[in-house]
């Protein structure tokens, strides 16, 4: 016996699908809608990666940068550059954050001093001057001493072109504004707009010696064939052998700079991806439901095939072909839909995107879509496929001798869900780039489904009970229908409840955060934040403020240090290259940081000891005992430090030993100066420090007044207007929430499509029954009412439980991540329940209105 | 000997934990080229017997040999192949694939096994049942009698050793039924095929070379 031609089964599969157009269309549309968001997001990410990869040199403005927080002397620089190829070009750049003032106002900016060669890649484009040429920089910045500013500074400082700004000890005329420049940070965040000066001019501001953090950067352009990896390796080796501050010189390649830039967007993308995944999931539930019914109706044809000599494997193959075809088709449609979503995403995420970014659909996204479509639909329908086992050609001979369902064992049922769980888990880990976030997400989703499923089950049982006692016939029938058609009802319920859960979860979490930080007269949130106060300036500053009837709060010293050893062994701060998960990235960033130490007698009211004991009062150098430190709980966890560890810090080249005696929890959103590492008093007092402090309870004009006052008197002190910053952050997070919500709406759409297809399908399946009711005297309106009751019951309960679960989850998330910022906005909850119920009824009405009108005459005709 | 049945029993478990013995001690021999009719009341076990012969179900005990091979000893896969090669089945409800044309329905069992001239043979078979001009029609475009004729064509197109027909005219009106029966018997006669016909139509049964009556689970 031979095998059929290779096209036989796919052809047969396609024929069957075409013959069941309605099913095929619903399946396709349903799945496509679910996939579309996910695929749009994938293309978006790909485009971003491609963009960053292509423009990495432009982002840094060079191939490689050496960054140090102290000036690198010539000898050291020569040592480092000795390995560079002959024709390497180099230029220097100095940046610092400082306050600048116009006549009226002051604002925190990033001042950058550049030389004429800047930038090696990309362009510096000015509003008037156009693309900047080397000699133009020399003439205007170096020789004339002009300043070029970011356009937003015109309004922030209330100056016009030709006006001037005071930076440190010097005033600079503003002659032009910057339209585009190489930037390794997201400038459009606008937290600290940039000002360009000539390199020699920044020296004249007098700020370099007074600022705690100035970044000295040497930029290089290498000949084309230079191998950067090798070069970076040798550089790092050399730097490791330096001592003191020079051992902290950082090597930044253009690739790395692009990565850093992409990271912020990356985090947001991760979460968007997870939300989009829920849409995929909802669509999957719908697809599985549709397929289940389709399959049951195909049993007879499968039996015929088997009686003609097809094996069970072959019938499986036929069905797999159909799923594959449908999945691929859905993927193709979803690609088309995603083309519509992409530009929307671009608009929604505008704030976070690098300049000149354009989305495009690339091949890898297309392939991904196809694979996800076909594999995904297979995996989702696998639990349903096990039913093929109960196909028996024998039934063809005993059409009317009842049902002999083959019992599929509980085990194989459970097992058939395994691929689904694994796939979702893989997808969400891959989406979130994090094992923890991904696993938590899938865990939560499963838990939500489990809880909601159980609840749905309970409600259906309850409906069954009601159907026995309810006096009204129509109601009784509605309740009985719900109970009878459990699979459909539970699928509808899950789709609606999950959608509601999602839509509520995001704003609910956000609401809490917003409530907390936007409260304008909250005494806990300071108005101004001051840093870089020099020790000798402190008294003077306090006197001035006292004259104005206000005072500095939370004055905290800050000492910079490095962690050298833990329990006597060298602390490893660098991982290998090629970190891929977000946790690794974050941890790496964490460990490389220079640490800020502080000391304090008592904990502030935003702190709480969770492990260990209070720090001892004053340290006595003669006691011979160990100095004591307190660590922030999560900081300790990330750094891999425990209670009782012995830490050796390098404080300006002086080794300081200390023992960890407690771990603290800190409410960071209190906006008080808080530190990861707190020493007991008496240890660090002699070390060079700067001071941080805050001013509270100021309205807008007073904020401006004090800001100007401080800047005029102490040019090196930086002042952040906290209220304004919070507003900006809120604006940015508003956008994030909007983007997340958009994805969430996409998933409730998917949920509604599920309801639509299930409602329609149910009614069609029950058609002769409904017609019988009509023959027996039920009015059209009665039947419609019955359907409406069914879906209203589903909608109300799905709404209530979806919202309820979202409250519980958001509370959990708020408690876990945001230190308990949670507030119940009952209006949203109420609106959600009402909305879901209405939508559910409306969609069911839409889905069934034509079918319900079919005349009972069909009873006589149909076979 | 084409078919040999010895002490065949078949019972079904009942919902109340008992069982009903549908077939009890069935013995039967059918030679090649014979036409045998099985008659009996509804529920007497005719279809059950047929399903055992077709290998669609397994007997409780006894032996059932087709072409010297014990059907109950075959694996599921082997049985499927054996059935495809040796047995043609005609159902009361025709059971055509709704999304395939008449021609495609008939060529299906051939195509499934990669037969090269499935097209040609299917056309021949349709010609034999007099439906050449209906090749491109779908089942819903055919009358009951025509549908059953297509089903007959599909059953004989593989040239099986035995044709099993379960009340082939049961779903047709009298006149059409006679017409289809004529066609079936003509076909069997010209090809010399073996036929086992289950019916409760005495007239049709009498056209077979042998008649058996099934009652209370055994042949009377
Ligand atoms: N799978 C089964 N389970 C239980 N009883 C069955 C099953 N198949 C057939 N029967 C019973 O066996 C008896 C014979 O059925 P059947 O062979 O279909 O009769 P016929 O075809 O002669 O009308 C009937 O009483 C029927 O209820
Ligand atoms: Mg029967």
């Amino acid at each position: 016996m031979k095998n059929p031609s290779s096209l036989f089964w796919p052809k047969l599969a396609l024929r069957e699908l075409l013959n069941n157009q309605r099913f095929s269309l619903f399946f396709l549309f349903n799945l496509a809608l679910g996939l579309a968001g996910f695929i749009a997001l994938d293309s978006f990410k790909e485009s971003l990666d491609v963009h960053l990869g292509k423009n990495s040199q432009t982002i840094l403005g060079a191939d490689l940068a050496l960054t140090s927080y102290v000036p690198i002397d010539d000898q050291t620089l020569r040592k480092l550059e000795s390995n560079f190829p002959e024709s390497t070009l180099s230029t220097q750049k100095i940046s610092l954050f400082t306050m600048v003032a116009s006549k009226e106002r002051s604002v925190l900016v990033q001042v950058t001093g550049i030389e004429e060669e800047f930038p090696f890649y990309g362009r510096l484009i000015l509003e008037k001057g156009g693309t900047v040429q080397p000699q133009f920089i020399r003439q205007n910045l170096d020789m004339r001493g002009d300043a070029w500013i970011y356009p937003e500074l015109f309004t922030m400082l209330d100056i016009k072109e030709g006006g001037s700004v005071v930076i440190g000890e010097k005033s600079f005329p503003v002659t032009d504004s910057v339209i585009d420049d190489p930037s390794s940070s997201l400038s459009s965040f606008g937290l600290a707009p940039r000002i360009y000066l000539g390199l020699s001019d920044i020296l004249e501001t007098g700020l370099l010696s007074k600022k705690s953090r100035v970044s000295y950067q040497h930029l290089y352009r290498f000949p084309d064939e230079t191998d950067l990896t090798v070069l970076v390796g040798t550089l790092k080796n050399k730097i490791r052998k330096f001592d003191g501050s020079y051992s902290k010189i950082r090597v930044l390649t253009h690739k790395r700079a692009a990565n850093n830039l992409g990271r912020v967007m990356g985090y947001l993308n991760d979460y968007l991806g997870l939300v989009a995944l829920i849409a995929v999931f909802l669509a999957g539930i719908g697809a599985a439901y549709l397929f289940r019914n389709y399959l049951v109706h195909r049993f007879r044809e499968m039996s015929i095939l088997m009686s003609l000599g097809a094996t069970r494997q072959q019938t499986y193959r036929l069905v797999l072909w159909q799923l594959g075809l449908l999945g691929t088709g859905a993927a193709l449609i979803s690609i088309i839909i995603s083309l519509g979503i992409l530009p929307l995403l671009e608009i929604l995420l505008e704030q976070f995107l690098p300049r000149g970014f354009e989305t495009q659909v690339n091949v890898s996204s297309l392939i991904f879509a196809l694979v996800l479509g076909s594999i995904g639909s297979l995996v989702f329908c696998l639990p349903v496929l096990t039913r093929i086992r109960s196909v028996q050609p024998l039934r063809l001979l005993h059409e009317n001798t009842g049902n002999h369902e083959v019992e599929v064992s509980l085990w194989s049922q459970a097992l058939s869900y395994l691929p689904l769980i694994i796939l979702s888990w893989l997808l969400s880990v891959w989406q979130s780039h994090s094992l923890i976030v991904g696993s938590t997400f899938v865990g939560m989703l499963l838990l939500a489904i489990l809880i909601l499923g159980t609840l749905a089950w309970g409600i259906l049982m309850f409906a069954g009970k009601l159907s026995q006692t309810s006096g009204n016939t129509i109601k009784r029938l509605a309740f009985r229908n719900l109970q009878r058609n459990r699979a459909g009802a539970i699928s509808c319920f899950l789709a609606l409840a999950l959608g509601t859960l999602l839509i509520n979860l995001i704003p609910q979490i956000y609401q809490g955060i917003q409530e907390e930080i936007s409260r304008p007269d909250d005494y806990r949130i300071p108005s101004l934040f001051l840093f870089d106060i020099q020790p000798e300036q402190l008294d003077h500053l306090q006197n001035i403020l006292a004259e104005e009837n206000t005072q500095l709060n939370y004055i905290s010293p800050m000492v910079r240090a490095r962690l050298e050893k833990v329990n006597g062994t060298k602390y490893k701060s660098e991982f290998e290259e090629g970190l891929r998960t977000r946790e690794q990235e974050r941890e790496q960033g964490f460990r490389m940081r220079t640490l800020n130490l502080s000391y304090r007698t008592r904990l502030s009211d935003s702190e709480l000891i969770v492990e260990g004991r209070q720090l001892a009062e004053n340290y006595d150098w003669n006691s011979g005992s160990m100095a004591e430190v307190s660590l922030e709980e999560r900081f300790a966890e990330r750094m891999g430090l425990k209670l009782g560890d012995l830490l050796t810090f390098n404080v300006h080249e002086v080794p300081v030993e200390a023992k960890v005696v407690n771990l603290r929890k800190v409410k960071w959103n209190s906006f008080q100066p808080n530190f990861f590492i707190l020493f007991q008093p008496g240890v660090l007092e002699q070390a060079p420090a700067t001071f941080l402090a805050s001013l509270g309870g100021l309205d807008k004009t007073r904020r401006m007044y004090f800001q100007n006052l401080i800047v005029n008197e102490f040019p090196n002190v930086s002042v952040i207007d906290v209220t304004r910053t919070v507003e900006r952050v809120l604006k940015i997070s508003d956008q994030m929430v909007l983007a997340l919500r958009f994805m969430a709406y996409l998933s409730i759409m998917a949920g509604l499509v599920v309801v639509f297809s299930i409602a329609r399908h149910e009614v069609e399946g029950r058609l002769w029954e409904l017609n019988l009711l009509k023959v027996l005297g039920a009015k059209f309106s009665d039947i419609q009412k019955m359907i409406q009751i069914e879906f209203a019951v589903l909608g109300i309960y799905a709404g209530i439980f979806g919202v309820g679960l979202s409250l519980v989850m958001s509370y959990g998330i708020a408690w876990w991540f945001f230190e308990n910022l949670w507030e119940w906005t009952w209006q949203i909850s109420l609106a959600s329940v009402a909305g879901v119920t209405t939508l559910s009824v409306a969609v069911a009405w839409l889905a069934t209105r034509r079918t319900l009108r079919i005349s009972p005459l069909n009873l006589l005709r149909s076979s | 000997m084409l078919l040999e049945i010895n002490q065949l029993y078949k019972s079904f478990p009942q919902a109340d934990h008992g069982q009903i013995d549908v077939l009890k001690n069935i013995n039967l021999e059918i030679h090649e080229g014979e036409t045998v009719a099985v008659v009996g009341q509804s529920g007497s076990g005719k279809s059950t017997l047929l399903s055992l012969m077709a290998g669609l179900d397994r007997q409780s005990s006894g032996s059932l040999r087709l072409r010297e091979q014990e059907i109950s000893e075959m694996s599921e896969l082997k049985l499927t192949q054996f059935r495809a090669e040796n047995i043609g089945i005609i159902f009361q409800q025709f059971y055509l694939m709704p999304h395939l044309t008449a021609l495609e329905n008939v060529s299906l069992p051939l195509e499934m096994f990669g037969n090269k001239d499935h097209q040609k043979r299917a056309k021949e078979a349709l010609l034999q049942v007099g439906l050449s001009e209906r090749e491109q029609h779908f089942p819903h475009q055919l009358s009951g009698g025509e549908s059953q004729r297509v089903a007959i064509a599909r059953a004989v197109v593989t040239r099986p050793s035995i044709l099993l027909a379960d009340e082939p005219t049961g779903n047709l009106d009298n006149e059409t039924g006679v017409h289809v029966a004529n066609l079936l018997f003509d076909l069997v006669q010209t090809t010399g095929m073996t036929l086992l016909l289950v019916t409760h139509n005495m007239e049709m049964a009498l056209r077979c070379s042998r008649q058996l009556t099934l009652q209370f689970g055994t042949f009377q």
Side-chain angles (χ1 to χ4, degrees), chain A residues 426-555:
Chain A
L426 284 178
L427 275 178
S428 43
V429 168
W430 174 68
Q431 269 303 310
S432 61
H433 293 91
S434 155
L435 197 65
I436 298 170
V437 175
S439 308
T440 315
F441 174 78
V442 171
M444 295 254 260
L445 194 63
L446 282 181
L447 195 70
I449 288 178
L450 218 65
I451 293 175
L452 291 173
T454 316
L455 285 172
W457 187 264
I459 290 167
L460 294 186
M461 298 302 270
F462 182 61
K465 281 254 165 58
L466 276 185
S467 74
Q468 284 160 12
T469 54
S470 177
N472 181 322
T473 321
I474 292 300
K475 263 194 207 148
R476 205 161 60 219
L477 280 174
F479 289 142
R480 184 143 324 155
N481 281 333
L482 273 177
Q483 194 213 12
R484 197 175 48 167
N485 167 41
R486 287 211 187 123
I490 292 181
S491 304
C492 272
F493 181 86
L494 274 183
L496 286 175
L498 275 180
T500 319
L501 167 70
L502 194 65
I503 286 206
N504 270 276
L505 193 58
I506 295 160
Q508 184 65 48
I509 293 171
Y510 177 66
Q511 193 74 26
I513 303 172
Q514 203 180 28
E515 288 283 331
E516 181 76 6
I517 48 189
S518 64
R519 209 172 291 153
D521 42 32
D522 189 339
Y523 69 100
R524 283 198 298 158
I525 293 183
S527 310
L528 297 179
F529 215 83
L530 281 55
F531 54 94
D532 277 339
I533 308 169
Q534 301 297 314
E536 67 275 11
Q537 296 173 324
L538 204 54
D539 281 342
H540 186 27
L541 180 60
Q542 276 172 314
N543 288 338
I544 291 180
L545 291 174
E547 277 167 33
E548 300 282 346
N549 288 325
T550 184
Q551 60 171 41
L552 288 180
N553 302 318
Y554 303 109
I555 303 170

Side-chain angles (χ1 to χ4, degrees), chain A residues 199-212:
Chain A
L199 191 68
S200 49
D201 293 317
I202 201 170
L203 301 174
E204 287 168 26
T205 59
L207 289 172
L208 295 189
S209 54
K210 287 195 189 142
K211 279 282 168 184
S212 61

Side-chain angles (χ1 to χ4, degrees), chain A residues 15 118 156 296 338 371 443 540 562 598 601 647 673 739-740 746 799 812:
Chain A
R15 288 295 284 275
F118 180 84
M156 290 166 85
V296 170
S338 72
V371 171
H540 186 27
R562 239 173 333 138
S598 187
T601 340
L647 312 177
L740 281 169
L746 210 64

Side-chain angles (χ1 to χ4, degrees), chain A residues 1-5 8-9 11-12 15-16 19 300-301 304-312 314 393-394 396-399, chain B residues 47-48 50-51 56-57 77 80-81 83-85 91 93 95-101 104 108 111-114 138 154 166:
Chain A
M1 206 176 289
K2 283 179 290 177
N3 283 323
S5 84
F8 174 73
W9 290 109
K11 244 168 45 190
L12 200 62
R15 288 295 284 275
E16 265 190 43
N19 201 49
R300 180 192 284 174
E301 275 134 69
I304 299 174
L305 276 176
M306 284 165 77
S307 79
L308 292 176
T311 60
R312 207 171 283 270
Q314 282 170 320
L394 177 62
L396 295 176
L397 290 167
H398 302 280
E399 188 84 17
Chain B
S47 294
T48 306
L50 202 91
S51 69
L56 294 174
D57 203 357
L77 189 69
T80 309
Q81 287 194 1
R83 187 189 312 131
E85 281 168 358
F91 302 97
Q93 288 90 347
Y95 292 135
L96 299 178
M97 299 287 274
H99 55 281
L100 299 183
T101 62
E104 286 167 329
L108 190 64
E111 248 185 295
M112 206 148 43
F113 294 99
F138 284 92
R154 186 179 65 184
D166 189 4

